[in-house]
Amino acid sequence: MFVTVNLTRPANEASTMEAMAGASMSSSARLRPYPRLRRIGNVTVAAVRRRCRRHAITCAAAADADVVALFDAAKLTVDRFVESGMVVGLGSGPASGLAIQYLGTRLRRGYLTGILGIPSSTISASEAEKAGIQVGSYEESTQIDFAFTDADIIEEDTLAAVIGRRKTESGEPSFMEEKGIVKSAGKLAFIIGHDKYVKGVEGSIPVLVKSANWIDTAEEIDDLFLGDAEVWRRPSFGTAGPLGGDFPLVTKEGHHVLDVVFTTPIPDLAKVAESLEKIAGVVDHGIVSSIPSYVVVALNGEVQVLDEKSSVIP
């Protein structure tokens, strides 16, 4: 069951987002005038320019609306779940970045105090420091009260998630530490746009494998999902063939990352995770399942909150 929350941002909190929207609109609408009227077939250049300008403005407005919706979801996540004195896991991704910025604003204004942030990547650590959030390092023994993060995709009904599809600026995949943080959290929330909440999950699932005999591991995964998925080794930069090219991604632990790309909808993410964990050589994967969580969804100017029991959040 979805809980719909209508959010009205005070002018001072929304000013930054409105300024972003205004800047985007004005920049996309600026077009150099033509010195004279010309024709393309039976259509004048001026008419084409008007159509292009309307299209550009519409696209810019849609993009700005998406950012504002994600900001609303990030804001609600912080307001609903974060309390003073908490240790908070700081996720990675656009929505998490907005939540980190808003959390910093709440701290500076004195609405929250004593927050310790545990970043899941170098990028989220940098964002937290810029926002004025005290940060600590993650260890397996770290007690985390609440964590938020983006998800690449969320499976309807089960709320199983896939993380780790995105490539970071450093090239180092962050999903291993990110997954450790969300598994250690007493409470977890994924912040997503509505297009990431789907019934049939497709696309890639990152799988961390030992570098020794990684080809044997890849072939076993390929046999497991024969006809349903392709297995590619992730390159350190750019794109490459199935073997990852001349510069495959190697983690600081010396592991490789395989992208298992499903070409047909996955009926059950939890079963895929269970199957992967039985394969020798698999260290971890990007599926987060069987962990109680909330999903905060940005949709059409509203924020919808779903819990793992499909019931109303108290």
Side-chain angles (χ1 to χ4, degrees), residues 109-125:
R109 294 179 178 176
Y111 293 109
L112 292 170
T113 59
I115 298 295
L116 177 64
I118 307 296
S120 63
S121 67
T122 55
I123 294 176
S124 58

Side-chain angles (χ1 to χ4, degrees), residues 192-255:
I192 60 170
H194 69 279
D195 59 321
K196 297 184 183 296
Y197 186 72
V198 300
K199 187 159 256 333
V201 174
E202 294 184 48
S204 65
I205 294 175
V207 181
L208 188 70
V209 299
K210 296 178 180 178
S211 57
N213 301 320
W214 74 267
I215 292 181
D216 293 338
T217 304
E219 288 178 350
E220 190 170 349
I221 294 173
D222 188 51
D223 291 340
L224 180 64
F225 304 114
L226 189 63
D228 295 324
E230 299 176 354
V231 182
W232 294 58
R233 185 169 61 158
R234 187 176 295 187
S236 56
F237 59 88
T239 58
L243 298 183
D246 295 329
F247 303 98
L249 177 63
V250 181
T251 70
K252 59 185 178 183
E253 296 83 8
H255 303 318

Side-chain angles (χ1 to χ4, degrees), residues 69-83:
L70 273 184
F71 176 75
D72 285 342
K75 178 177 179 293
L76 177 63
T77 301
V78 172
D79 287 341
R80 181 177 288 272
F81 296 110
V82 179
E83 299 177 1

Side-chain angles (χ1 to χ4, degrees), residues 39-179:
R39 284 187 173 272
I40 301 176
N42 294 323
V43 182
T44 65
V45 169
V48 172
R49 289 177 60 239
R50 284 194 296 269
R51 294 175 189 175
C52 291
R53 181 167 58 238
R54 286 195 297 269
H55 178 71
I57 292 174
T58 301
C59 291
D64 292 334
D66 289 342
V67 172
V68 171
L70 273 184
F71 176 75
D72 285 342
K75 178 177 179 293
L76 177 63
T77 301
V78 172
D79 287 341
R80 181 177 288 272
F81 296 110
V82 179
E83 299 177 1
S84 293
M86 276 188 168
V87 177
V88 180
L90 309 176
S92 301
S96 294
L98 292 170
I100 290 170
Q101 293 174 26
Y102 180 69
L103 178 57
T105 299
R106 300 295 284 176
L107 284 166
R108 289 193 301 274
R109 294 179 178 176
Y111 293 109
L112 292 170
T113 59
I115 298 295
L116 177 64
I118 307 296
S120 63
S121 67
T122 55
I123 294 176
S124 58
S126 175
E127 290 174 338
E129 290 175 354
K130 291 176 183 177
I133 301 172
Q134 181 183 353
V135 297
S137 59
Y138 171 72
E139 297 177 1
E140 290 186 5
S141 59
T142 304
Q143 297 296 314
I144 298 175
D145 299 299
F146 169 68
F148 60 78
T149 192
D150 290 43
D152 296 307
I153 207 81
I154 296 281
E155 186 177 62
E156 282 189 21
D157 302 326
T158 69
L159 302 192
V162 176
I163 61 175
R165 288 180 177 177
R166 297 182 303 275
K167 294 182 180 179
T168 64
E169 291 180 1
S170 64
E172 183 79 7
S174 63
F175 75 91
M176 297 92 70
E177 191 156 324
E178 188 175 357
K179 188 173 179 180

